[in-house]
């Protein structure tokens, strides 16, 4: 879906028989990416602060 592939196509390619299953996994994916992005930002800011202190 991040590559402009319709959710219906992703659902069929994944072997899901119910579109809601794919929607559920897509929601989890979006939340995971958001959490990972926040972790990366925090790590970057911590590393930058450590560099400034030295």
């Amino acid at each position: 879906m991040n590559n402009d592939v319709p959710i219906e196509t992703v659902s069929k390619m994944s072997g899901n028989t119910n579109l809601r299953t794919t929607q559920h996994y897509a929601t989890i994916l979006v939340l995971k990416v958001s959490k990972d992005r926040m972790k990366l930002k925090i790590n970057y800011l911590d590393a930058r602060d450590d560099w400034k202190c030295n």
Side-chain angles (χ1 to χ4, degrees):
M1 292 174 293
N2 291 337
N3 294 313
D4 296 325
V5 177
I7 194 165
E8 295 84 2
T9 302
V10 173
S11 183
K12 292 290 183 187
M13 290 171 61
S14 300
N16 296 332
T17 55
N18 188 334
L19 187 59
R20 285 186 178 192
T21 302
T22 307
Q23 290 170 328
H24 174 74
Y25 286 118
T27 302
I28 290 172
L29 177 63
V30 169
L31 293 173
K32 173 90 170 100
V33 169
S34 295
K35 286 180 181 180
D36 289 347
R37 184 179 294 143
M38 185 59 69
K39 286 180 190 177
L40 182 61
K41 184 176 181 179
I42 290 168
N43 289 340
Y44 169 77
L45 293 174
D46 285 346
R48 188 184 69 176
D49 289 343
D50 288 345
W51 181 79
K52 285 182 180 179
C53 291
N54 293 332

